[in-house]
């Protein structure tokens, strides 16, 4: 995912901090958070390029946990599914163990980590500017948003995103996920609000 951690740069460089600072000054790396840098795409070197919030967030999570243990979820998944047009100030990523939030240094934004059994989440790969990432499916995202609407600090955006995503959902898959993840009441609330049974 083009992400470089200062903590692992010592494996490559004798003086990692100085080398990362030099590469950043040359425009080859972009510092997204304390200890996390992303390699600037070759065609964007020398520009003001920076990755999108969701891509940067999952890049940080992948660097910390591995490619299969970081899943974009909630309001951030809705954004990657294209049902939320405006940029947000909080990104939400599911990871297997507790991690404190990380404040980005290149913009006023926060990455919030949620402890989930990532292997049980219904997820798919979606391409970002940093490569393909795991993102909860429309069905999983709808259930997550209804269950915890305030998680991404964008509660006003949640219901319009749910209504749009719900049109893409397979009712059988929704029911299966709700049953497997103990979210039947969440599905009932969703259907009641939509006037369905």
């Amino acid at each position: 995912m083009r992400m470089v951690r200062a903590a692992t740069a010592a494996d490559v460089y004798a003086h990692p901090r100085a080398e990362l600072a030099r590469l950043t000054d040359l425009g080859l790396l972009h510092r997204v958070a304390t200890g996390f840098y992303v390699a600037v795409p070759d065609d964007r070197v020398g520009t003001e390029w920076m990755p999108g919030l969701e891509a940067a967030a999952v890049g940080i999570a992948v660097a910390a946990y591995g490619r299969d243990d970081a899943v974009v979820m909630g309001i951030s998944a809705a954004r990657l599914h294209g049902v939320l047009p405006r940029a947000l100030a909080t990104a939400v990523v599911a990871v297997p163990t507790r991690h404190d939030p990380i404040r980005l240094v290149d913009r006023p934004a926060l990455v919030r980590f949620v402890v989930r059994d990532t292997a049980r989440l219904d997820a798919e790969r979606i391409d970002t500017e940093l490569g393909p990432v795991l993102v909860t499916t429309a069905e999983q995202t709808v259930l997550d948003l209804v269950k915890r609407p305030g998680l991404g600090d964008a509660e006003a955006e949640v219901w319009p995103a749910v209504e749009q995503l719900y049109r893409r959902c397979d009712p059988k898959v929704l029911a299966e996920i709700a049953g497997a993840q103990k979210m039947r009441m969440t599905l009932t609330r969703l259907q009641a609000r939509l006037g369905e049974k």
Side-chain angles (χ1 to χ4, degrees):
M1 290 209 56
R2 309 178 66 89
M3 192 66 67
V4 178
R5 281 186 82 183
T8 57
D11 298 342
V12 180
Y13 301 113
H15 305 285
R17 291 191 189 279
E19 191 60 25
L20 292 172
R22 185 182 75 78
L23 292 171
T24 301
D25 290 344
L26 290 172
L28 300 173
L29 289 180
H30 174 80
R31 184 171 172 246
V32 291
T34 301
F36 292 91
Y37 299 78
V38 64
V40 176
D42 293 341
D43 62 338
R44 304 304 295 271
V45 172
T47 68
E48 295 296 313
W49 178 86
M50 68 178 176
L53 173 60
E54 293 75 21
V58 74
I60 289 168
V62 165
Y65 289 95
R67 185 171 294 278
D68 294 328
D69 285 325
V71 182
V72 180
M73 64 168 285
I75 201 74
S76 297
R79 183 142 164 76
L80 288 179
H81 281 296
V83 297
L84 197 68
R86 77 174 185 90
L88 301 173
T90 302
V92 183
V93 183
V95 293
T97 58
R98 188 184 175 288
H99 196 295
D100 289 335
I102 291 180
R103 188 155 303 282
L104 300 189
V105 297
D106 63 351
R107 70 196 94 188
L110 183 75
V111 180
R112 188 173 306 283
F113 300 94
V114 178
V115 177
R116 302 280 298 268
D117 182 349
T118 54
R120 293 191 66 213
L121 293 175
D122 195 39
E124 61 187 317
R125 291 214 185 269
I126 292 181
D127 286 329
T128 71
E129 64 263 43
L130 298 182
V133 300
L134 282 173
V135 179
T136 54
T137 60
E139 291 86 359
Q140 180 78 62
T141 303
V142 162
L143 290 170
D144 288 344
L145 287 172
V146 172
K147 185 171 183 174
R148 296 180 70 186
L151 185 58
D153 302 322
E155 204 160 347
E157 314 286 343
V158 166
W159 191 249
V162 166
E163 288 179 322
Q164 287 187 59
L165 271 180
Y166 185 77
R167 294 183 201 124
R168 302 180 195 174
C169 291
D170 180 327
K172 288 182 182 177
V173 174
L174 263 175
E176 287 169 10
I177 294 170
Q181 297 181 18
K182 298 181 177 153
M183 297 172 84
R184 285 192 180 96
M185 288 303 298
T186 302
L187 180 56
T188 301
R189 276 199 327 269
L190 168 64
Q191 291 169 331
R193 178 144 183 190
L194 291 171
E196 299 183 8
K197 55 178 179 169

